[in-house]
Amino acid sequence: MAPEIEYRDATDADYESVRSFTEDTWADLDVETSDYIPEIYHDWIDSDEKKTIVADAGDEIAGIAQFVLLSAYEGWAQGMRVNPDYRGEGIGSEIVTRLFDWGHDQGATIARNMVFSWNQAGLGQSRALGFEPVTEFRWLHPDPDPSADPPASADPDAAWAHWSSADARSHLGGLGLDLDHAWALRDCTREMFARAGAETSLLTVTDETGTEAVSYRSRTIEQETDQGTETITEYGVAAWETVDAGRTLLAAIAADAARCGADRTRVLIPETSGYVSDGAYLQAAISAEPDFVLAADLSGRQ
């Protein structure tokens, strides 16, 4: 007889069971990415802005997912995992339905998520759960450079004016990385640019014609590797009008990263032939695969 499933909030006591089926999430695929959940689980579930639900099968956890509130109306769904022994039983759908209901009750009218482009199972699951495709992006990795001294400023109004009509904004659906939650995208606003200018770093490139490029530092990460601790600076989006403006902006990012003591960078750009080929032309390393963003409309939930 199949065990009765209890859907409840995740606890620290669930860690070992969750770790057992997430530490090798993509072991059957030829990818280098490992699942982040076992490494950050305890901190991951500890927040009033998040709702993490597990499917408790009694002796083990059958599934888990989390909903994060990013703004008054935006939610982010992440960590959607189902224990392989329980796949095909509707557990993922039930967890996400409950998270959508919780998010709607908190005022969220949209929920987004991100799926690696190579993750066919994850993409299929997301579509089955009601997520629709929104956009795709890729990462640039310009090297930190303490010798760079580009002409860049921090002007929220100029940044917003440029972003409002940028091709990058159109392709990305207005999205950039959140300043508080890792790997989560939300609507970029003037207030976000102003906050980045005050708390992290806002970079705008202007000339006599106006603002030509914009980016902001979303976070600085300390990450353990086999060689020791590595510092990564992450930039929530980069938009530019011309190759020359892109060159100046990437130089500003390289300089900013060096001031942070970064070992490497990660810069979100639209997945378009123009931006990706500009990055290659400017000799910035480019991630091998794009990432996809999807969204579900929660406004009609009762």
Side-chain angles (χ1 to χ4, degrees):
M1 180 181 297
E4 182 176 348
I5 302 295
E6 177 190 1
Y7 295 92
R8 58 170 176 79
D9 290 346
T11 69
D12 288 326
D14 298 321
Y15 171 75
E16 286 299 331
S17 183
V18 172
R19 180 196 58 77
S20 69
F21 72 85
T22 58
E23 62 182 352
D24 296 318
T25 299
W26 299 297
D28 58 338
L29 300 176
D30 184 23
V31 296
E32 296 181 359
T33 302
S34 59
D35 202 328
Y36 61 88
I37 293 178
E39 296 181 9
I40 52 84
Y41 177 83
H42 297 291
D43 292 334
W44 191 63
I45 67 172
D46 184 22
S47 172
D48 293 335
E49 298 173 331
K50 302 175 183 177
K51 179 76 166 178
T52 310
I53 292 179
V54 296
D56 187 344
D59 293 334
E60 59 185 338
I61 298 300
I64 187 171
Q66 182 179 91
F67 193 99
V68 185
L69 295 172
L70 301 182
S71 74
Y73 64 93
E74 295 170 283
W76 186 257
Q78 60 186 9
M80 295 183 289
R81 310 284 188 268
V82 175
N83 188 323
D85 294 338
Y86 295 87
R87 289 176 182 164
E89 299 182 18
I91 287 172
S93 179
E94 182 63 26
I95 293 175
V96 171
T97 295
R98 290 167 181 258
L99 290 176
F100 281 180
D101 288 343
W102 178 84
H104 178 265
D105 289 345
Q106 310 309 307
T109 57
I110 189 168
R112 302 185 184 96
N113 76 338
M114 184 183 74
V115 184
F116 296 122
S117 60
W118 46 259
N119 186 359
Q120 181 175 338
L123 287 168
Q125 179 190 43
S126 291
R127 294 300 300 272
L129 294 172
F131 288 91
E132 297 294 333
V134 173
T135 190
E136 56 187 328
F137 67 89
R138 202 177 288 225
W139 300 107
L140 285 186
H141 305 284
D143 292 330
D145 183 0
S147 69
D149 186 24
S153 60
D155 185 338
D157 292 325
W160 177 245
H162 176 76
W163 178 248
S164 296
S165 60
D167 289 341
R169 182 174 187 260
S170 298
H171 178 84
L172 292 170
L175 303 178
L177 289 172
D178 186 69
L179 291 169
D180 296 311
H181 301 94
W183 296 93
L185 282 81
R186 57 160 292 176
D187 287 341
C188 278
T189 64
R190 186 205 173 280
E191 289 72 26
M192 272 185 64
F193 289 139
R195 182 182 165 195
E199 297 180 9
T200 57
S201 181
L202 176 66
L203 303 169
T204 54
V205 177
T206 61
D207 62 16
E208 64 279 1
T209 67
T211 303
E212 292 290 303
V214 63
S215 185
Y216 65 92
R217 179 166 18 101
S218 48
R219 60 186 181 129
T220 300
I221 314 151
E222 299 292 333
Q223 180 172 290
E224 294 300 323
T225 69
D226 293 338
Q227 289 72 44
T229 302
E230 178 183 53
T231 301
I232 304 169
T233 50
E234 182 180 83
Y235 297 82
V237 76
W240 58 79
E241 290 296 313
T242 65
V243 170
D244 285 343
R247 180 182 292 107
T248 302
L249 182 64
L250 293 186
I253 289 171
D256 181 73
R259 287 192 291 271
C260 294
D263 299 295
R264 62 187 181 94
T265 68
R266 186 160 62 213
V267 184
L268 189 151
I269 62 167
E271 170 69 356
T272 68
S273 58
Y275 271 95
V276 175
S277 63
D278 278 359
Y281 180 68
L282 296 172
Q283 299 182 326
I286 308 171
S287 59
E289 304 279 351
D291 295 320
F292 294 152
V293 179
L294 302 93
D297 188 343
L298 306 186
S299 61
R301 302 185 79 81
Q302 300 299 320

